[in-house]
Amino acid sequence: MPMLRSNIAIDLGTANVLVYVQGRGIVIREPSVVALRAGERNQVVAVGESARSMMGRTPDDIVAVRPLKDGVIADFDITRAMLRYFLKRVLQRQWFLALSPNVVVCVPCGVTDVERRAVKEAMLKAGAWNAVVADEPLAAAIGAGMPVGEPLGNMIVDIGGGTCEVAVVSLGSIVVSRSIRVGGNRLDEAIAAYLRKHYDILIGDRTAEDIKINIGSAIEPRFNNTMTIRGQNIKDGLPRTVEISAQEVRAAMAAPLARILEAICATLEATPPELAADVMHNGMMLSGGTSLLPGLDVLVYRETGIQATLCDHPMEAVALGAGRIVEEFQTVSRMQREHRGAVYHL
């Protein structure tokens, strides 16, 4: 019986990795975190959710790290180990290299050619037979169900953990785009910095993320809820408990949110008039985990005057769109060779 080569799409995000397998849909949703034994970089202790649970709680001989930063590879070897782990899980065969898959992997549209090649090389070294690098905003627009193949201006704003990707798509191509390295992680950092400055308390990344999820808002909160926070006192190093309000959290996140709005406005200013008219009429689509921040659509409307709509599956949009691309892998692979390694057409 002949062996079939799998076609796989990967949303290689700063915060999470999603894996789509042709014919099966999304089969993996895991944090992009790897736990390693210190001094032995090749010895992986845990990957994904189990590694994330170790962050800030590991003994001296184990370290939990995120190998991707701002949407690009920060540590090549660890990224390769993480991708290899996910590929083995997907194919569920110890001898999976004999059936190495074709892979479409999504990256921010603002990455350099060197960074694109690094992603492709990491995939090949992780065990892929062939790897195609696709732009995240195009995949997000496809996954959000936008009519990207029509001669219309479709605006997508994809805000993940490490980057914000803004693009106008028409006829299956990205016409104009902006990519900034501001996302959910920057919001978390802003909250932690606020607590450090105003309350003299140190908190970890997971606590900051919990604050954002529980009482965070992009606009003035309807109810000024509060949340009790446990952290470390800067002055004496002892544990300390403080209470922070939703209004304070909104104020803390104001600066990174302003940068996201600037990227949206800059993209609109650079959009050709006919396509801009389409966007004004049809509105824009929000995707990515950070787009779930309450009130973000209202904030975008206030700033631009354009209706912003959250897509049906914001955290899965890129993976679903990449899954559509992987269905046409042979066509995409050929077109990659014709367009400097980036996928712009379907």
PDB file of all heavy atoms in Angstrom, residues 12-17 31-36 41 46-48 51 55 64-83 86:
ATOM      1  N   LEU A  12       2.620  29.678  13.567  1.00  0.00           N
ATOM      2  CA  LEU A  12       3.758  29.722  14.490  1.00  0.00           C
ATOM      3  C   LEU A  12       3.723  31.050  15.241  1.00  0.00           C
ATOM      4  O   LEU A  12       4.388  32.021  14.866  1.00  0.00           O
ATOM      5  CB  LEU A  12       5.062  29.562  13.713  1.00  0.00           C
ATOM      6  CG  LEU A  12       6.352  29.363  14.515  1.00  0.00           C
ATOM      7  CD1 LEU A  12       6.280  28.097  15.355  1.00  0.00           C
ATOM      8  CD2 LEU A  12       7.544  29.302  13.572  1.00  0.00           C
ATOM      9  N   GLY A  13       2.916  31.105  16.292  1.00  0.00           N
ATOM     10  CA  GLY A  13       2.717  32.352  17.021  1.00  0.00           C
ATOM     11  C   GLY A  13       3.662  32.522  18.188  1.00  0.00           C
ATOM     12  O   GLY A  13       4.237  31.559  18.703  1.00  0.00           O
ATOM     13  N   THR A  14       3.826  33.769  18.619  1.00  0.00           N
ATOM     14  CA  THR A  14       4.663  34.067  19.775  1.00  0.00           C
ATOM     15  C   THR A  14       4.105  33.428  21.039  1.00  0.00           C
ATOM     16  O   THR A  14       4.857  32.931  21.880  1.00  0.00           O
ATOM     17  CB  THR A  14       4.764  35.587  19.978  1.00  0.00           C
ATOM     18  OG1 THR A  14       5.246  36.196  18.782  1.00  0.00           O
ATOM     19  CG2 THR A  14       5.701  35.919  21.126  1.00  0.00           C
ATOM     20  N   ALA A  15       2.792  33.426  21.182  1.00  0.00           N
ATOM     21  CA  ALA A  15       2.152  32.893  22.382  1.00  0.00           C
ATOM     22  C   ALA A  15       1.697  31.450  22.214  1.00  0.00           C
ATOM     23  O   ALA A  15       1.808  30.650  23.144  1.00  0.00           O
ATOM     24  CB  ALA A  15       0.965  33.769  22.779  1.00  0.00           C
ATOM     25  N   ASN A  16       1.172  31.104  21.029  1.00  0.00           N
ATOM     26  CA  ASN A  16       0.611  29.775  20.819  1.00  0.00           C
ATOM     27  C   ASN A  16       0.972  29.231  19.441  1.00  0.00           C
ATOM     28  O   ASN A  16       1.184  30.001  18.499  1.00  0.00           O
ATOM     29  CB  ASN A  16      -0.923  29.811  20.947  1.00  0.00           C
ATOM     30  CG  ASN A  16      -1.382  30.202  22.328  1.00  0.00           C
ATOM     31  OD1 ASN A  16      -1.307  29.426  23.270  1.00  0.00           O
ATOM     32  ND2 ASN A  16      -1.867  31.432  22.463  1.00  0.00           N
ATOM     33  N   VAL A  17       1.019  27.918  19.358  1.00  0.00           N
ATOM     34  CA  VAL A  17       1.217  27.221  18.093  1.00  0.00           C
ATOM     35  C   VAL A  17      -0.043  26.418  17.787  1.00  0.00           C
ATOM     36  O   VAL A  17      -0.510  25.648  18.630  1.00  0.00           O
ATOM     37  CB  VAL A  17       2.439  26.282  18.141  1.00  0.00           C
ATOM     38  CG1 VAL A  17       2.535  25.464  16.858  1.00  0.00           C
ATOM     39  CG2 VAL A  17       3.719  27.069  18.358  1.00  0.00           C
ATOM     40  N   PRO A  31       0.585  26.337  23.898  1.00  0.00           N
ATOM     41  CA  PRO A  31       1.459  27.504  24.078  1.00  0.00           C
ATOM     42  C   PRO A  31       2.835  27.228  23.483  1.00  0.00           C
ATOM     43  O   PRO A  31       3.332  26.098  23.543  1.00  0.00           O
ATOM     44  CB  PRO A  31       1.543  27.649  25.609  1.00  0.00           C
ATOM     45  CG  PRO A  31       0.337  26.939  26.131  1.00  0.00           C
ATOM     46  CD  PRO A  31       0.090  25.810  25.187  1.00  0.00           C
ATOM     47  N   SER A  32       3.436  28.229  22.894  1.00  0.00           N
ATOM     48  CA  SER A  32       4.778  28.071  22.307  1.00  0.00           C
ATOM     49  C   SER A  32       5.823  28.266  23.406  1.00  0.00           C
ATOM     50  O   SER A  32       6.539  29.267  23.446  1.00  0.00           O
ATOM     51  CB  SER A  32       4.987  29.064  21.155  1.00  0.00           C
ATOM     52  OG  SER A  32       4.539  30.353  21.513  1.00  0.00           O
ATOM     53  N   VAL A  33       5.880  27.285  24.293  1.00  0.00           N
ATOM     54  CA  VAL A  33       6.792  27.299  25.442  1.00  0.00           C
ATOM     55  C   VAL A  33       7.512  25.955  25.502  1.00  0.00           C
ATOM     56  O   VAL A  33       6.911  24.910  25.262  1.00  0.00           O
ATOM     57  CB  VAL A  33       6.034  27.542  26.765  1.00  0.00           C
ATOM     58  CG1 VAL A  33       7.016  27.609  27.932  1.00  0.00           C
ATOM     59  CG2 VAL A  33       5.214  28.825  26.689  1.00  0.00           C
ATOM     60  N   VAL A  34       8.794  26.005  25.813  1.00  0.00           N
ATOM     61  CA  VAL A  34       9.604  24.792  25.941  1.00  0.00           C
ATOM     62  C   VAL A  34      10.333  24.826  27.275  1.00  0.00           C
ATOM     63  O   VAL A  34      10.921  25.850  27.642  1.00  0.00           O
ATOM     64  CB  VAL A  34      10.631  24.675  24.794  1.00  0.00           C
ATOM     65  CG1 VAL A  34      11.460  23.402  24.948  1.00  0.00           C
ATOM     66  CG2 VAL A  34       9.933  24.694  23.439  1.00  0.00           C
ATOM     67  N   ALA A  35      10.279  23.731  28.011  1.00  0.00           N
ATOM     68  CA  ALA A  35      11.021  23.598  29.265  1.00  0.00           C
ATOM     69  C   ALA A  35      12.264  22.751  29.013  1.00  0.00           C
ATOM     70  O   ALA A  35      12.175  21.657  28.447  1.00  0.00           O
ATOM     71  CB  ALA A  35      10.151  22.957  30.347  1.00  0.00           C
ATOM     72  N   LEU A  36      13.413  23.266  29.407  1.00  0.00           N
ATOM     73  CA  LEU A  36      14.695  22.607  29.168  1.00  0.00           C
ATOM     74  C   LEU A  36      15.443  22.395  30.468  1.00  0.00           C
ATOM     75  O   LEU A  36      15.280  23.154  31.427  1.00  0.00           O
ATOM     76  CB  LEU A  36      15.564  23.464  28.233  1.00  0.00           C
ATOM     77  CG  LEU A  36      14.988  23.847  26.883  1.00  0.00           C
ATOM     78  CD1 LEU A  36      15.799  24.968  26.286  1.00  0.00           C
ATOM     79  CD2 LEU A  36      14.967  22.649  25.961  1.00  0.00           C
ATOM     80  N   ARG A  41      21.002  21.852  26.564  1.00  0.00           N
ATOM     81  CA  ARG A  41      20.002  22.510  25.723  1.00  0.00           C
ATOM     82  C   ARG A  41      19.196  21.540  24.872  1.00  0.00           C
ATOM     83  O   ARG A  41      18.075  21.834  24.486  1.00  0.00           O
ATOM     84  CB  ARG A  41      20.680  23.552  24.830  1.00  0.00           C
ATOM     85  CG  ARG A  41      21.238  24.720  25.608  1.00  0.00           C
ATOM     86  CD  ARG A  41      22.002  25.650  24.684  1.00  0.00           C
ATOM     87  NE  ARG A  41      21.152  26.166  23.611  1.00  0.00           N
ATOM     88  CZ  ARG A  41      20.377  27.232  23.715  1.00  0.00           C
ATOM     89  NH1 ARG A  41      20.311  27.872  24.862  1.00  0.00           N
ATOM     90  NH2 ARG A  41      19.671  27.660  22.685  1.00  0.00           N
ATOM     91  N   ALA A  46       9.682  19.442  28.692  1.00  0.00           N
ATOM     92  CA  ALA A  46       8.254  19.548  28.377  1.00  0.00           C
ATOM     93  C   ALA A  46       8.062  20.588  27.287  1.00  0.00           C
ATOM     94  O   ALA A  46       8.878  21.487  27.111  1.00  0.00           O
ATOM     95  CB  ALA A  46       7.446  19.914  29.620  1.00  0.00           C
ATOM     96  N   VAL A  47       6.942  20.456  26.553  1.00  0.00           N
ATOM     97  CA  VAL A  47       6.601  21.387  25.482  1.00  0.00           C
ATOM     98  C   VAL A  47       5.118  21.714  25.587  1.00  0.00           C
ATOM     99  O   VAL A  47       4.306  20.867  25.957  1.00  0.00           O
ATOM    100  CB  VAL A  47       6.903  20.785  24.083  1.00  0.00           C
ATOM    101  CG1 VAL A  47       6.472  21.734  22.979  1.00  0.00           C
ATOM    102  CG2 VAL A  47       8.383  20.461  23.942  1.00  0.00           C
ATOM    103  N   GLY A  48       4.755  22.964  25.266  1.00  0.00           N
ATOM    104  CA  GLY A  48       3.358  23.339  25.219  1.00  0.00           C
ATOM    105  C   GLY A  48       2.774  23.674  26.576  1.00  0.00           C
ATOM    106  O   GLY A  48       3.413  24.330  27.401  1.00  0.00           O
ATOM    107  N   ALA A  51       4.745  22.774  29.671  1.00  0.00           N
ATOM    108  CA  ALA A  51       5.893  23.661  29.881  1.00  0.00           C
ATOM    109  C   ALA A  51       5.441  25.018  30.390  1.00  0.00           C
ATOM    110  O   ALA A  51       6.098  25.628  31.244  1.00  0.00           O
ATOM    111  CB  ALA A  51       6.684  23.813  28.580  1.00  0.00           C
ATOM    112  N   MET A  55       6.366  27.827  34.026  1.00  0.00           N
ATOM    113  CA  MET A  55       6.967  29.157  33.967  1.00  0.00           C
ATOM    114  C   MET A  55       6.877  29.858  35.314  1.00  0.00           C
ATOM    115  O   MET A  55       5.808  29.980  35.909  1.00  0.00           O
ATOM    116  CB  MET A  55       6.287  30.005  32.886  1.00  0.00           C
ATOM    117  CG  MET A  55       6.495  29.481  31.480  1.00  0.00           C
ATOM    118  SD  MET A  55       5.916  30.603  30.190  1.00  0.00           S
ATOM    119  CE  MET A  55       7.198  31.862  30.259  1.00  0.00           C
ATOM    120  N   ALA A  64      11.994  27.317  31.697  1.00  0.00           N
ATOM    121  CA  ALA A  64      10.900  27.347  30.723  1.00  0.00           C
ATOM    122  C   ALA A  64      11.010  28.634  29.918  1.00  0.00           C
ATOM    123  O   ALA A  64      11.026  29.723  30.487  1.00  0.00           O
ATOM    124  CB  ALA A  64       9.547  27.261  31.431  1.00  0.00           C
ATOM    125  N   VAL A  65      11.098  28.513  28.593  1.00  0.00           N
ATOM    126  CA  VAL A  65      11.336  29.676  27.745  1.00  0.00           C
ATOM    127  C   VAL A  65      10.367  29.689  26.566  1.00  0.00           C
ATOM    128  O   VAL A  65       9.811  28.666  26.183  1.00  0.00           O
ATOM    129  CB  VAL A  65      12.787  29.691  27.202  1.00  0.00           C
ATOM    130  CG1 VAL A  65      13.782  29.773  28.336  1.00  0.00           C
ATOM    131  CG2 VAL A  65      13.056  28.454  26.349  1.00  0.00           C
ATOM    132  N   ARG A  66      10.198  30.884  25.991  1.00  0.00           N
ATOM    133  CA  ARG A  66       9.469  31.045  24.731  1.00  0.00           C
ATOM    134  C   ARG A  66      10.502  31.242  23.630  1.00  0.00           C
ATOM    135  O   ARG A  66      11.190  32.270  23.613  1.00  0.00           O
ATOM    136  CB  ARG A  66       8.528  32.252  24.800  1.00  0.00           C
ATOM    137  CG  ARG A  66       7.375  32.081  25.784  1.00  0.00           C
ATOM    138  CD  ARG A  66       6.390  33.228  25.669  1.00  0.00           C
ATOM    139  NE  ARG A  66       5.297  33.110  26.613  1.00  0.00           N
ATOM    140  CZ  ARG A  66       4.179  32.430  26.400  1.00  0.00           C
ATOM    141  NH1 ARG A  66       4.027  31.798  25.248  1.00  0.00           N
ATOM    142  NH2 ARG A  66       3.219  32.385  27.297  1.00  0.00           N
ATOM    143  N   PRO A  67      10.642  30.308  22.704  1.00  0.00           N
ATOM    144  CA  PRO A  67      11.683  30.419  21.683  1.00  0.00           C
ATOM    145  C   PRO A  67      11.370  31.413  20.575  1.00  0.00           C
ATOM    146  O   PRO A  67      12.227  31.683  19.734  1.00  0.00           O
ATOM    147  CB  PRO A  67      11.764  28.998  21.123  1.00  0.00           C
ATOM    148  CG  PRO A  67      10.396  28.430  21.342  1.00  0.00           C
ATOM    149  CD  PRO A  67       9.906  29.031  22.627  1.00  0.00           C
ATOM    150  N   LEU A  68      10.137  31.959  20.577  1.00  0.00           N
ATOM    151  CA  LEU A  68       9.775  32.983  19.595  1.00  0.00           C
ATOM    152  C   LEU A  68       9.510  34.302  20.307  1.00  0.00           C
ATOM    153  O   LEU A  68       8.905  34.325  21.387  1.00  0.00           O
ATOM    154  CB  LEU A  68       8.537  32.572  18.805  1.00  0.00           C
ATOM    155  CG  LEU A  68       8.740  31.357  17.903  1.00  0.00           C
ATOM    156  CD1 LEU A  68       7.865  30.215  18.363  1.00  0.00           C
ATOM    157  CD2 LEU A  68       8.463  31.714  16.461  1.00  0.00           C
ATOM    158  N   LYS A  69       9.973  35.382  19.726  1.00  0.00           N
ATOM    159  CA  LYS A  69       9.775  36.700  20.302  1.00  0.00           C
ATOM    160  C   LYS A  69       9.311  37.648  19.209  1.00  0.00           C
ATOM    161  O   LYS A  69       9.931  37.724  18.141  1.00  0.00           O
ATOM    162  CB  LYS A  69      11.069  37.224  20.938  1.00  0.00           C
ATOM    163  CG  LYS A  69      10.926  38.582  21.612  1.00  0.00           C
ATOM    164  CD  LYS A  69      12.198  38.978  22.317  1.00  0.00           C
ATOM    165  CE  LYS A  69      12.109  40.375  22.919  1.00  0.00           C
ATOM    166  NZ  LYS A  69      11.018  40.490  23.912  1.00  0.00           N
ATOM    167  N   ASP A  70       8.220  38.356  19.466  1.00  0.00           N
ATOM    168  CA  ASP A  70       7.676  39.326  18.503  1.00  0.00           C
ATOM    169  C   ASP A  70       7.425  38.691  17.141  1.00  0.00           C
ATOM    170  O   ASP A  70       7.661  39.290  16.086  1.00  0.00           O
ATOM    171  CB  ASP A  70       8.609  40.527  18.353  1.00  0.00           C
ATOM    172  CG  ASP A  70       8.785  41.290  19.659  1.00  0.00           C
ATOM    173  OD1 ASP A  70       7.850  41.254  20.473  1.00  0.00           O
ATOM    174  OD2 ASP A  70       9.848  41.901  19.854  1.00  0.00           O
ATOM    175  N   GLY A  71       6.975  37.437  17.153  1.00  0.00           N
ATOM    176  CA  GLY A  71       6.606  36.772  15.918  1.00  0.00           C
ATOM    177  C   GLY A  71       7.740  36.145  15.132  1.00  0.00           C
ATOM    178  O   GLY A  71       7.510  35.575  14.065  1.00  0.00           O
ATOM    179  N   VAL A  72       8.973  36.230  15.612  1.00  0.00           N
ATOM    180  CA  VAL A  72      10.108  35.652  14.895  1.00  0.00           C
ATOM    181  C   VAL A  72      10.906  34.757  15.842  1.00  0.00           C
ATOM    182  O   VAL A  72      10.764  34.812  17.068  1.00  0.00           O
ATOM    183  CB  VAL A  72      11.030  36.744  14.311  1.00  0.00           C
ATOM    184  CG1 VAL A  72      10.280  37.571  13.287  1.00  0.00           C
ATOM    185  CG2 VAL A  72      11.589  37.638  15.405  1.00  0.00           C
ATOM    186  N   ILE A  73      11.760  33.937  15.244  1.00  0.00           N
ATOM    187  CA  ILE A  73      12.538  32.982  16.022  1.00  0.00           C
ATOM    188  C   ILE A  73      13.621  33.699  16.818  1.00  0.00           C
ATOM    189  O   ILE A  73      14.461  34.404  16.257  1.00  0.00           O
ATOM    190  CB  ILE A  73      13.169  31.930  15.096  1.00  0.00           C
ATOM    191  CG1 ILE A  73      12.070  31.073  14.457  1.00  0.00           C
ATOM    192  CG2 ILE A  73      14.149  31.047  15.858  1.00  0.00           C
ATOM    193  CD1 ILE A  73      12.586  30.080  13.441  1.00  0.00           C
ATOM    194  N   ALA A  74      13.598  33.512  18.129  1.00  0.00           N
ATOM    195  CA  ALA A  74      14.629  34.077  18.990  1.00  0.00           C
ATOM    196  C   ALA A  74      15.707  33.049  19.307  1.00  0.00           C
ATOM    197  O   ALA A  74      16.856  33.408  19.546  1.00  0.00           O
ATOM    198  CB  ALA A  74      14.009  34.603  20.293  1.00  0.00           C
ATOM    199  N   ASP A  75      15.347  31.774  19.327  1.00  0.00           N
ATOM    200  CA  ASP A  75      16.308  30.690  19.569  1.00  0.00           C
ATOM    201  C   ASP A  75      16.019  29.575  18.572  1.00  0.00           C
ATOM    202  O   ASP A  75      14.999  28.889  18.660  1.00  0.00           O
ATOM    203  CB  ASP A  75      16.190  30.171  21.001  1.00  0.00           C
ATOM    204  CG  ASP A  75      17.333  29.236  21.371  1.00  0.00           C
ATOM    205  OD1 ASP A  75      17.477  28.202  20.693  1.00  0.00           O
ATOM    206  OD2 ASP A  75      18.074  29.542  22.329  1.00  0.00           O
ATOM    207  N   PHE A  76      16.911  29.410  17.613  1.00  0.00           N
ATOM    208  CA  PHE A  76      16.689  28.480  16.511  1.00  0.00           C
ATOM    209  C   PHE A  76      16.607  27.038  16.998  1.00  0.00           C
ATOM    210  O   PHE A  76      15.695  26.295  16.618  1.00  0.00           O
ATOM    211  CB  PHE A  76      17.816  28.622  15.485  1.00  0.00           C
ATOM    212  CG  PHE A  76      17.642  27.765  14.268  1.00  0.00           C
ATOM    213  CD1 PHE A  76      16.912  28.219  13.176  1.00  0.00           C
ATOM    214  CD2 PHE A  76      18.195  26.494  14.202  1.00  0.00           C
ATOM    215  CE1 PHE A  76      16.731  27.437  12.059  1.00  0.00           C
ATOM    216  CE2 PHE A  76      18.027  25.692  13.087  1.00  0.00           C
ATOM    217  CZ  PHE A  76      17.296  26.171  12.007  1.00  0.00           C
ATOM    218  N   ASP A  77      17.542  26.613  17.829  1.00  0.00           N
ATOM    219  CA  ASP A  77      17.585  25.218  18.258  1.00  0.00           C
ATOM    220  C   ASP A  77      16.343  24.818  19.054  1.00  0.00           C
ATOM    221  O   ASP A  77      15.798  23.726  18.873  1.00  0.00           O
ATOM    222  CB  ASP A  77      18.849  24.965  19.093  1.00  0.00           C
ATOM    223  CG  ASP A  77      20.117  25.048  18.262  1.00  0.00           C
ATOM    224  OD1 ASP A  77      20.030  24.800  17.047  1.00  0.00           O
ATOM    225  OD2 ASP A  77      21.182  25.375  18.824  1.00  0.00           O
ATOM    226  N   ILE A  78      15.901  25.711  19.939  1.00  0.00           N
ATOM    227  CA  ILE A  78      14.728  25.395  20.753  1.00  0.00           C
ATOM    228  C   ILE A  78      13.469  25.382  19.890  1.00  0.00           C
ATOM    229  O   ILE A  78      12.585  24.530  20.064  1.00  0.00           O
ATOM    230  CB  ILE A  78      14.593  26.400  21.913  1.00  0.00           C
ATOM    231  CG1 ILE A  78      15.820  26.323  22.829  1.00  0.00           C
ATOM    232  CG2 ILE A  78      13.330  26.121  22.715  1.00  0.00           C
ATOM    233  CD1 ILE A  78      15.795  27.313  23.968  1.00  0.00           C
ATOM    234  N   THR A  79      13.399  26.305  18.928  1.00  0.00           N
ATOM    235  CA  THR A  79      12.255  26.322  18.020  1.00  0.00           C
ATOM    236  C   THR A  79      12.193  25.036  17.214  1.00  0.00           C
ATOM    237  O   THR A  79      11.121  24.440  17.030  1.00  0.00           O
ATOM    238  CB  THR A  79      12.332  27.526  17.071  1.00  0.00           C
ATOM    239  OG1 THR A  79      12.349  28.730  17.842  1.00  0.00           O
ATOM    240  CG2 THR A  79      11.144  27.546  16.123  1.00  0.00           C
ATOM    241  N   ARG A  80      13.332  24.598  16.736  1.00  0.00           N
ATOM    242  CA  ARG A  80      13.384  23.354  15.966  1.00  0.00           C
ATOM    243  C   ARG A  80      12.910  22.179  16.822  1.00  0.00           C
ATOM    244  O   ARG A  80      12.139  21.333  16.357  1.00  0.00           O
ATOM    245  CB  ARG A  80      14.808  23.097  15.474  1.00  0.00           C
ATOM    246  CG  ARG A  80      14.950  21.812  14.673  1.00  0.00           C
ATOM    247  CD  ARG A  80      16.397  21.597  14.270  1.00  0.00           C
ATOM    248  NE  ARG A  80      17.255  21.500  15.444  1.00  0.00           N
ATOM    249  CZ  ARG A  80      18.579  21.399  15.387  1.00  0.00           C
ATOM    250  NH1 ARG A  80      19.189  21.420  14.218  1.00  0.00           N
ATOM    251  NH2 ARG A  80      19.299  21.301  16.484  1.00  0.00           N
ATOM    252  N   ALA A  81      13.363  22.130  18.083  1.00  0.00           N
ATOM    253  CA  ALA A  81      12.943  21.042  18.970  1.00  0.00           C
ATOM    254  C   ALA A  81      11.434  21.081  19.214  1.00  0.00           C
ATOM    255  O   ALA A  81      10.771  20.039  19.246  1.00  0.00           O
ATOM    256  CB  ALA A  81      13.709  21.129  20.289  1.00  0.00           C
ATOM    257  N   MET A  82      10.892  22.287  19.375  1.00  0.00           N
ATOM    258  CA  MET A  82       9.455  22.424  19.605  1.00  0.00           C
ATOM    259  C   MET A  82       8.662  21.970  18.378  1.00  0.00           C
ATOM    260  O   MET A  82       7.686  21.213  18.497  1.00  0.00           O
ATOM    261  CB  MET A  82       9.123  23.888  19.930  1.00  0.00           C
ATOM    262  CG  MET A  82       7.644  24.161  20.154  1.00  0.00           C
ATOM    263  SD  MET A  82       7.306  25.886  20.558  1.00  0.00           S
ATOM    264  CE  MET A  82       7.647  26.666  18.973  1.00  0.00           C
ATOM    265  N   LEU A  83       9.085  22.398  17.185  1.00  0.00           N
ATOM    266  CA  LEU A  83       8.393  22.011  15.960  1.00  0.00           C
ATOM    267  C   LEU A  83       8.486  20.509  15.720  1.00  0.00           C
ATOM    268  O   LEU A  83       7.522  19.864  15.292  1.00  0.00           O
ATOM    269  CB  LEU A  83       8.972  22.775  14.772  1.00  0.00           C
ATOM    270  CG  LEU A  83       8.686  24.278  14.744  1.00  0.00           C
ATOM    271  CD1 LEU A  83       9.484  24.950  13.644  1.00  0.00           C
ATOM    272  CD2 LEU A  83       7.197  24.533  14.568  1.00  0.00           C
ATOM    273  N   PHE A  86       5.933  18.788  17.879  1.00  0.00           N
ATOM    274  CA  PHE A  86       4.567  18.900  17.383  1.00  0.00           C
ATOM    275  C   PHE A  86       4.344  18.043  16.139  1.00  0.00           C
ATOM    276  O   PHE A  86       3.279  17.435  15.983  1.00  0.00           O
ATOM    277  CB  PHE A  86       4.232  20.362  17.089  1.00  0.00           C
ATOM    278  CG  PHE A  86       4.030  21.195  18.330  1.00  0.00           C
ATOM    279  CD1 PHE A  86       4.602  22.453  18.438  1.00  0.00           C
ATOM    280  CD2 PHE A  86       3.275  20.724  19.384  1.00  0.00           C
ATOM    281  CE1 PHE A  86       4.422  23.221  19.576  1.00  0.00           C
ATOM    282  CE2 PHE A  86       3.084  21.473  20.530  1.00  0.00           C
ATOM    283  CZ  PHE A  86       3.660  22.735  20.626  1.00  0.00           C
TER     284      PHE A  86
END
